[in-house]
Structure formats: C-alpha cells, structure tokens
Amino acid sequence: MASGIKDKVAIIGMGCSRFGERWDAGTDTLLAEAFDEALADAGIERSQIDAAWTGSCFDRINVGNSAVPAATALRLDGIPVSRMENMCATGTEALRGAAYAVASGAVDIALAVGSEKLKDTGYGGLPVQTKGTFNDLWLPMVSAPAGFAQLAAGYRAHHHIAKDDLKRAMAHVSWKSHQNGVHSPKAHLRKAIAMDSILNAPMIADPLGLFDCCGVSDGAAAAIVTTPEIARSLGKRDLVTVKAVQLSISSGIESTTSKWDGSYVRNTRTAAAKAYTEAGIKNPRTELGLIEVHDCFSITELVTMEDLNLSEPGRAVHDILDGFYDRDGRVPCQIDGGLKCFGHPIGASGLRMAYEVYNQLLGRAGDRQLPGVSLGLTHNLGGVPYLGVAAVSVLGLH
Amino acid sequence: MAFGITAWGAYVPRLRLERSAIAATHAWMAPSLNGLARGRRAYCSWDEDVVTMAVEAARLCLGKRNRAEIREIHLASTTAPSADLQSSAIAAVALRLPSSVRAFDVGGSQRAAVSALGMALRRTGEPTLIIGSERMRARPASAQEMQYGAGAAAFLIGGADVAAEMLGSASMTTLLVDHFRAAGAAYDYFWEERWIRDEGYLKVGADAVRQALRDANVAAGAVTKFIFPSPFKGIAEVIAKSVGLSPASIAESLESNCGFAGTAHAPLMLANTLDQSSPGDIVVVAGFGQGSDVLVLRVTDAIAAARPTKSVGEVIEAGVGVQSYAQMATFYGEIAPDYGMRAERDTKTALTEQFRSSDQINGFVAGKCSSCGQVQFPQLAYCVLCQASADAFEPVCLAEEDAQVLTYTADALTYHPSPPMYVGFAQFDIGARLLMEFVDVDPNTFDVGTRLQMRFRIKERDPTRDYRRYFWKAAPTS
C-alpha cells in the first residue's frame, strides 16, 4: 500500500452555514456563508487559493452542473475548480480532492466546498431522479429510507434479533442525536425527542419511522487546506492534519452475488480498514475520541458501529443501549447531532462532519466540547448499502 | 394424425372486490345495483394488463414443455394496451419463444379467442399457442362494473399428447350489435339485455350450437359440458334448454369469484372444464359477438397428464379481498387521486436501450460466467466475481427459477401506484441475486426467507407518452 497522506495536509480554516430549511438562501448564499467563515478562520485572502473542489449532488435543484456555477458564486477567477459528485460522499470527496492536490505538491492552498439546496423541490425528502436508461428498465425506484431499511431486515435475520429489540436500539440512536443536537446552534433540528415519540412515529419504510430518518435541509460547508509547513508560516500553532481519507465503492458483489448477507455495509468495512492503516490506528475503540458517522437512518448508524470495528459483530445493539456512543460514553457519536439534526444537504455533509471534528480538536466546540480529543473520524455513505460508496476520513492534532 | 389441445393454463388477478362494496358506493344514485351485489369480482392491479396476464397464463400452460417448438402465438383481446404495438410479440419475448415465431394479435370481438382456437384446431398444423386475455373497463355504477372480471387462459395446440381433439365446429357471422366500444373509447355501450337474450343468444347462439353438434355428429344428450360465456345470468341455461342439452352439462360460469372476462371468458371456462374432465367427455365451447363460433371437443386419455400444476379453481381461490372501491377505480383510471409531486418523475423509456437489453429485461435472462460459474443479473461487460468477459456468458433465464427473500422493506415514501412498495433482494437458488419489487405480498407472513416465484408485470407507466414498460417482479410462492 502507498504511504498515504497522513500529516501531509493541514486544515487551516473551516466554515459551515446554518443548516435548515433556508427559504431565505439560494445555493450561492449558502456557499458564501461557509466560504466566508473558512476564509476568516484561515486568515487568508481569496486570491491565495490555488485550486478548488466543489461538491454538489443534484444538478436540477442546485446551482447547476459543472464547477462553473460554484466558481461564479464564490468569484473564484481563473483557477482550476472541479466539481465532485459521488452521492452522499460528495463532501468528503471534495476534501479528498483538495487534500490530494496539496499532498502531491501541485498546489499550496486548496479549497474544498460542498453544498446542497434540497428545499427547492416543493416536497419533503430527497429529489426523485432516474438511475440511467438501462437501470430504469429493471431497478425498483426505491426511496433512500427503503434502501437502508433493508439493512434492518438483514441485520435482524443474521443476528437473530427480535424486531422490537432492534427497533429500541435504533430509537436510542435517534434519541441520543436529538439530545446532542440541542447544543448545535447551526443544526436544523434542535429539540430533544422523547423515546415514545420515536418508537411510535409514522412509518416511512418499514421498520424506519419518521424519527429513524435524518432531516432534509439546505446547507454548505468548506475547508481550506495546505501543507503543515505553509500552515506554520501563516502563523498557525495548533494544527489539525488529515490522518487519512479513504473511499470504497461497490462493483456489484453485494447486489449481484450471494457474498453479502444483508446485515452490514461492505464498503464501510473496506474504507475503514484502509483508513485505519493510513492513519496508523490499531484499536479504533480506544483511540478515537469522537466520530461523526453517516446516520442518514438510525439503522445505518447502528450497523456502522460494527463496520467501523468499534462494536463486535452483533453487539452494536447492546453498546448503543449501554450508552457507549452517547455524549458521556467512551466514543461519542454525533456530538453535534449528526445528520439526524443537521439534516443532509448531500454535498455539504462530509465537510460538515469534518467541521465538527476540526472544532472539537481545536477546543472550539462550545457547549458540545468534549474533553481531551486528539483524534476523530468522519464517515459517509452514498447510494444504498448494497450499491454505493463509503468514505472514511480521520482528522487529528498534529 | 391427432391434433388438438395438448396443454392449458389460466391466470386471474389476485385482487377481489365484493360486489356489495361497489353497490354500496353507488347506492345514492343507482340502488338497483343491489340486485347484482352477490359474490366478488376480480380486478387487475395497477401493474397487470392483457399482456402480463397472457404471459402468466401461458407460463402455467407451457410448464416445462419445450418452447422452442412453438411456431405461432395468437393473443386474443379487445383490451390490448396498444393499438400499434403487438401484445403477442411482447408476450413471445417474455416467454422466450423462438424469434422465428409467427405472432398475431386478434380482437375486435369478444368471440376472438374461440375464433382463433377454432382456426388453429381446424388447420392441424404446427404447435401454436392461443391465448385469450382481457381487462375491461366499465363505467362506474354500470351493470358491467358489477359483472366484469379479468383474466387470461392459454392453450397449446399440437400433435403430440393431445388431451382434447376437435370433433366439429360451426361459425356464424351476423350484425347483431348487442354492445360496442369505439376504438380508443373506455366503455362498452349495451343494448337492452332482454333483446340480446331473445334475438342474440337464443337465435344466433343456439343455432350455431346446433350446427356445430351436427358438424361433429354428436347428439345433444351426449354433451358432457357446455360453455357459453355471457355477462348475463342464465344465458347458457336457456340455450341448453333450447338445444336439448342436459342442465347438468352447464359449465361453471366463474361469476361468483371472478366475473365475466370478455374475450378471455370462454377460454377461462374451457380451462376450468378441462381441469375437471375425464377421457371421453364431450365439451362444447362457444364464443359470441357479431355471430358465434362453436367448437365441439372430445377429451382423450391424455387429459390427466396434460393438466397444469395449478387449476383454474385454485387460481381463482387464491384471490384476496380488498374492501376499497376506490382502489379498483384508481387502477382502472376512473378516478385520479393525488399521488403527490413524486409521481411527476419522467418515465420515458429509451427504446434503443430497451431493444439492446430485450433478452435481459423482457426475457429475464441472466448470464452464467463460463469461468467461475456465477449467475448474474444484470449482465454487464465483465463477470462481477472474476472479471471474465461477458462474451463467454451462458444465458440462464431466471423467470422459472425459485428464489427467497434476503432483505425487504415496505417503502411508503417513494411514488408507487399501490403504496407501500414492497422491495428487497431476491436471492435465487442458482446464485443470482437482484433487487426486485415484491408483489402479492401478505404483510403478516412476508419475511426474510419467504420463498419467491417470478411474475411478469408492468414495471412503470409513462403517462406523458402513454407507454408502459414491463419487467419481472417476485411474488410469494403459492
């Protein structure tokens, strides 16, 4: 394996817009909110940016396709700007592009920015889209919750867990995130939810009820990266560096052969293993100080705890109910409220997670601040559990 | 050389509506419907039409028989989905009949299926598949809405293992317009029932039966079963009395749990009769409309071996009652409920892609890798497991393969004409796996491990261009 990019790239500035139903803001405004904060945090001028990666998932309701609309919105003149789109991993993909450019020595300072304007559709949930001319002929048009709800059936069957027990653990996932989200000023949903409300919510895709699903929001987030050397030269003392960014994508094994049992996400396992190697992590359960994972749905977070090798196979239900991932647990998960409370503006989410880890590492997380954090992880899942992409990044103090 | 019916099979949609529920809906303006409010009628789900029902009936009819020998397919219907897109061709590809098969759509009259059956039996030619299939609309609160059902039946005509041979036949053509439906119109327009009975059934119909019996040299008293389909009650009885057939010969009308299925009704009744026939039985079957076609058949010793794995009685008994008039009215386009903005998604079909992948999509053909043996759907350029070239894939049809549920959910968020959409992975016993829509689901018993069999259905409708695309779905094994 290649030596990787551990500690070759430092994050010197990050920004995050307020997430929510931003009836007041178009994509350009959201991008600007995140960008302005990142520029100020980095203490650099727009003109010092050598290249940019901009992420957004849906063409029709955003600024449009290609990198041109985002470059125009942020007035990035004459520099290379590339658009990233890899479903829900888009934000992390933008960060990966910028980080690789810096690590390669091709540029000194790069911008990663992601955004999504989901609330311009006229209806709730994600926009409906086609899957390509051939796939449309045979693939059922499942909603996102239906793609992930199948994990519950697979997990339940594989581990012989009763429906009610699994539902209770799933409910705890959402309950915990809502508890945390109260303390996130930029979150969309900032209200604690009672367990009973979660358990008895209307069904969206069996067994996922309304509160098993993350919010649908508008938002943007941005990161400015450079080398640790340049960061020091810019006067930065506490440095957050990228320890690892890894990606894994489906080739059809899970969805076409019998080599997947339906109870886990193969891509997460692959990406996590590579990321741990790149970052030099031997035991994630003891080494990671916090994790921001892709809790698009409660069941996703549950199986992700096993896929990230934090809980033993079949034990996530118990770790979750024991509070291992709660705010005061050993590995706090979604300390900012996660997708559950921020919602999931696709192109922004990966960078929003990095924003929280970055701020926790620098001790700037306000009411949410966890003590003694030196290493954190972000995780994204794009597409569906059986046909998609997983991104895992590890950020830490240098 | 003997030539005749060698196999048969039928399909009736699973959905049933109590006729009393229809009558209750319209009682405010049509209280007289209560007089017809006994039993249940079958109706098509949103994804069933003349083509899908024809394919299902033919699959049951053909069983494990060699489909490569079939030289002709005739699909009879007055409710084919397209005016210019051959239903029989869609069915032929779904059934994987040889591409050299001659395909014919016949229609124009509710007697069309019996006409086609008689033509094939008279020719003593090559193996021929005759299918009658019908999905009729009826104006809300009309008598037809109470009387009509839906279904299909298929017959394989050939020279080996003949289970029923034709002894004689008669055809009459007159211009007695008992009802009509203009091209593209939704509903039938009926004349008075008493006139149709007296001048139509009792003169034209009965005369044709007499002529057929003479042609077959069969005495009226020798007839074991008499099939004369009609949406009206008691028609076969009055004809039988007029002709001298025994009351015991009147075939089951399928009225109580299915309803009148137009062109498909005589085929359904014939299939039901053959299910229960014994060697030597004489069966008279008629089609009616602008005259009449009547066939006189004799059941042979081969009847027992020819029976399909599922009888018409079993198919009809599998019906499930849905106490919602609105659902039937929605599926038949009588009302257009608000499905929300998600229903606005464009479902335009790339006809180029449809042709390229016709074997995969309509024939449900997976590829078996010649290097590692993995059976895979869809077939892409390389093997999913060993990356060998697809050039060496061996075609394996999944339509008749058994599977079971690996994962599932009931998707209440996505647009679906009959929410929630049951969806998940079907794991085939031969190793293939794909995400499929599940149909005919009983939520109380459906779970991981539920055994599945395949169904040919409408995948999606394209309301903008009035086109429908078909694919396979999985249903609990029944």
Side-chain angles (χ1 to χ4, degrees):
Chain A
M1 187 174 165
S3 58
I5 64 165
K6 183 182 181 183
D7 292 330
K8 292 177 181 169
V9 179
I11 302 178
I12 55 169
M14 288 205 75
C16 183
S17 76
R18 185 166 58 78
F19 280 35
E21 290 169 326
R22 293 294 303 271
W23 314 121
D24 62 313
T27 314
D28 56 335
T29 307
L30 296 169
L31 282 167
E33 275 186 36
F35 182 56
D36 287 346
E37 185 185 345
L39 269 186
D41 183 24
I44 64 167
E45 300 294 324
R46 180 189 266 98
S47 58
Q48 291 174 265
I49 296 170
D50 297 319
W53 276 259
T54 171
S56 63
C57 186
F58 297 108
D59 288 349
R60 279 184 232 165
I61 50 159
N62 265 292
V63 282
N65 68 349
S66 89
V68 174
T72 307
L74 298 179
R75 305 299 187 201
L76 301 172
D77 188 46
I79 62 167
V81 182
S82 304
R83 182 197 171 193
M84 300 300 308
E85 190 278 300
N86 217 349
M87 297 190 282
C88 304
T90 295
T92 302
E93 277 282 41
L95 179 61
R96 193 168 72 107
Y100 277 14
V102 166
S104 75
V107 302
D108 284 342
I109 298 178
L111 167 72
V113 60
S115 66
E116 208 79 34
K117 180 74 196 161
L118 290 179
K119 297 306 297 181
D120 276 355
T121 58
Y123 54 88
L126 293 179
V128 175
Q129 49 177 359
T130 67
K131 299 186 186 301
T133 52
F134 175 65
N135 285 336
D136 279 356
L137 295 179
W138 70 274
L139 255 183
M141 281 294 153
V142 297
S143 68
F148 284 88
Q150 294 174 60
L151 277 176
Y155 187 91
R156 184 166 57 74
H158 184 72
H159 294 294
H160 306 291
I161 290 172
K163 269 185 186 178
D164 288 351
D165 293 341
L166 184 58
K167 180 82 180 172
R168 228 179 26 256
M170 287 159 53
H172 187 98
V173 166
S174 300
W175 173 85
K176 166 265 300 163
S177 294
H178 273 288
Q179 294 281 325
N180 292 345
V182 170
H183 305 290
S184 284
K186 290 181 175 177
H188 176 184
L189 307 167
R190 301 188 58 203
K191 197 176 150 197
I193 306 290
M195 278 293 280
D196 275 357
S197 303
I198 297 172
L199 286 167
N200 298 312
M203 204 56 87
I204 303 296
D206 185 57
L208 302 177
L210 181 65
F211 288 108
D212 292 297
C213 306
C214 73
V216 177
S217 317
D218 305 321
I224 294 170
V225 295
T226 186
T227 65
E229 295 71 28
I230 296 171
R232 300 265 185 232
S233 75
L234 290 169
K236 300 287 175 186
R237 287 192 199 157
D238 296 332
L239 275 195
V240 171
T241 53
V242 177
K243 307 293 181 183
V245 191
Q246 290 291 339
L247 221 82
S248 175
I249 202 150
S250 301
S251 71
I253 300 269
E254 303 96 307
S255 56
T256 317
T257 78
S258 52
K259 296 196 179 302
W260 174 67
D261 63 22
S263 73
Y264 65 98
V265 179
R266 192 167 169 266
N267 279 322
T268 300
R269 294 187 175 188
T270 310
K274 287 181 179 174
Y276 293 154
T277 301
E278 185 174 26
I281 293 174
K282 301 277 187 293
N283 185 350
R285 196 174 162 100
T286 57
E287 293 176 55
L288 289 171
L290 83 158
I291 56 175
E292 287 284 320
V293 305
H294 201 82
D295 57 328
C296 50
F297 305 100
S298 57
I299 186 65
T300 321
E301 181 172 321
L302 189 148
V303 303
T304 298
M305 297 305 101
E306 297 178 12
D307 294 338
L308 290 176
N309 203 16
L310 294 163
S311 290
E312 294 288 316
R315 295 296 303 171
V317 167
H318 307 283
D319 281 345
I320 285 166
L321 290 171
D322 290 346
F324 186 84
Y325 300 107
D326 289 358
R327 177 187 174 77
D328 52 0
R330 172 62 193 82
V331 182
C333 181
Q334 329 295 56
I335 189 64
D336 64 351
L339 300 179
K340 182 79 208 64
C341 297
F342 269 83
H344 182 24
I346 317 286
S349 284
L351 285 160
R352 188 272 304 157
M353 295 170 173
Y355 177 79
E356 178 65 15
V357 173
Y358 170 81
N359 280 311
Q360 289 279 353
L361 289 168
L362 293 177
R364 309 196 304 204
D367 292 347
R368 304 183 308 282
Q369 185 62 48
L370 297 165
V373 177
S374 61
L375 204 58
L377 173 147
T378 74
H379 160 259
N380 286 128
L381 269 186
V384 278
Y386 41 84
L387 196 62
V389 50
V392 173
S393 81
V394 180
L395 306 178
L397 290 172
H398 190 44
Chain B
M1 187 181 98
F3 199 78
I5 296 171
T6 61
W8 66 93
Y11 181 81
V12 172
R14 178 170 173 269
L15 297 175
R16 299 284 183 281
L17 186 61
E18 296 284 344
R19 292 193 176 93
S20 58
I22 305 174
T25 303
H26 304 306
W28 65 279
M29 52 77 71
S32 65
L33 289 178
N34 206 38
L36 297 169
R38 281 180 302 280
R40 315 194 289 181
R41 62 156 292 180
Y43 65 101
C44 288
S45 186
W46 72 274
D47 60 355
E48 293 175 302
D49 67 5
V50 161
V51 176
T52 68
M53 292 192 293
V55 169
E56 293 303 329
R59 289 175 66 202
L60 189 58
C61 169
L62 295 173
K64 296 189 186 308
R65 291 175 176 82
N66 183 7
R67 300 180 185 188
E69 291 175 355
I70 297 171
R71 307 304 302 158
E72 274 183 25
I73 174 173
H74 296 247
L75 204 171
S77 183
T78 72
T79 48
S82 301
D84 185 352
L85 196 180
Q86 215 177 19
S87 295
S88 54
I90 302 172
V93 175
L95 293 166
R96 300 197 74 213
L97 302 185
S99 60
S100 59
V101 75
R102 297 184 289 273
F104 302 88
D105 281 11
V106 291
S109 168
Q110 289 183 350
R111 67 167 164 167
V114 177
S115 309
L117 192 57
M119 186 187 71
L121 288 168
R122 269 190 291 270
R123 282 191 317 178
T124 66
E126 298 163 311
T128 298
L129 188 61
I130 305 286
I131 313 170
S133 183
E134 199 84 285
R135 174 193 179 274
M136 293 182 295
R137 279 179 73 177
R139 191 180 292 281
S142 65
Q144 289 79 45
E145 192 180 39
M146 305 287 279
Q147 294 158 342
Y148 285 178
F155 299 88
L156 184 60
I157 313 299
D161 303 319
V162 169
E165 57 190 349
M166 191 161 79
L167 301 179
S169 67
S171 286
M172 288 182 69
T173 297
T174 66
L175 198 59
L176 182 131
V177 184
D178 59 323
H179 76 279
F180 65 90
R181 173 163 31 94
Y187 308 121
D188 298 340
Y189 188 84
F190 267 86
W191 210 251
E192 186 180 0
E193 181 181 334
R194 296 173 61 82
W195 171 74
I196 299 168
R197 183 192 62 197
D198 292 351
E199 293 294 304
Y201 292 120
L202 269 173
K203 289 190 177 167
V204 178
D207 273 359
V209 172
R210 286 188 199 95
Q211 285 185 31
L213 289 174
R214 270 199 300 277
D215 185 55
N217 200 20
V218 166
V223 173
T224 320
K225 279 293 168 194
F226 175 52
I227 298 164
F228 203 108
S230 168
F232 310 122
K233 281 183 195 299
I235 296 302
E237 284 80 354
V238 294
I239 297 173
K241 190 174 175 188
S242 160
V243 175
L245 306 175
S246 107
S249 70
I250 311 290
E252 159 64 40
S253 70
L254 310 179
E255 184 255 342
S256 67
N257 201 13
C258 174
F260 180 69
T263 312
H265 206 68
L268 274 170
M269 290 175 70
L270 177 57
N272 186 45
T273 298
L274 292 177
D275 284 339
Q276 302 162 44
S277 288
S278 307
D281 283 1
I282 303 289
V283 176
V284 174
V285 56
F288 183 79
Q290 291 77 61
S292 186
D293 292 294
V294 181
L295 316 178
V296 181
L297 308 172
R298 180 168 57 204
V299 176
T300 76
D301 293 341
I303 188 80
R307 289 196 173 102
T309 53
K310 211 181 293 176
S311 69
V312 175
E314 289 168 322
V315 168
I316 290 179
E317 276 308 305
V320 169
V322 175
Q323 297 313 313
S324 168
Y325 174 82
Q327 188 190 70
M328 183 178 80
T330 300
F331 290 170
Y332 278 69
E334 312 307 345
I335 57 175
D338 182 6
Y339 279 103
M341 289 185 185
R342 289 176 180 280
E344 294 169 4
R345 183 175 66 89
D346 192 357
T347 48
K348 180 176 180 173
T349 297
L351 298 175
T352 39
E353 180 61 68
Q354 180 182 273
F355 180 61
R356 278 196 293 273
S357 54
S358 171
D359 263 6
Q360 291 199 67
I361 301 301
N362 275 48
F364 209 7
V365 178
K368 183 175 184 177
C369 176
S370 57
S371 294
C372 72
Q374 175 70 39
V375 182
Q376 50 207 282
F377 187 99
Q379 301 183 53
L380 302 176
Y382 305 103
C383 171
V384 63
L385 269 192
C386 74
Q387 295 86 43
S389 167
D391 294 344
F393 282 3
E394 173 197 334
V396 176
C397 178
L398 297 179
E400 308 300 336
E401 298 293 334
D402 293 328
Q404 65 179 32
V405 176
L406 175 77
T407 64
Y408 78 98
T409 185
D411 189 348
L413 180 61
T414 194
Y415 162 67
H416 191 264
S418 186
M421 174 170 78
Y422 283 85
V423 65
F425 276 99
Q427 175 65 53
F428 287 79
D429 297 349
I430 59 168
R433 164 187 294 187
L434 65 147
L435 190 72
M436 295 189 80
E437 186 178 337
F438 299 129
V439 291
D440 299 350
V441 168
D442 175 354
N444 298 313
T445 56
F446 199 76
D447 205 346
V448 173
T450 296
R451 298 293 294 171
L452 300 167
Q453 53 191 194
M454 302 304 120
R455 292 276 178 264
F456 187 70
R457 294 288 179 102
I458 295 170
K459 163 78 160 68
E460 269 162 329
R461 292 168 185 270
D462 175 356
T464 306
R465 300 160 196 90
D466 210 356
Y467 187 73
R468 56 192 70 183
R469 52 191 182 207
Y470 299 88
F471 185 58
W472 296 81
K473 302 181 183 181
T477 301
S478 58

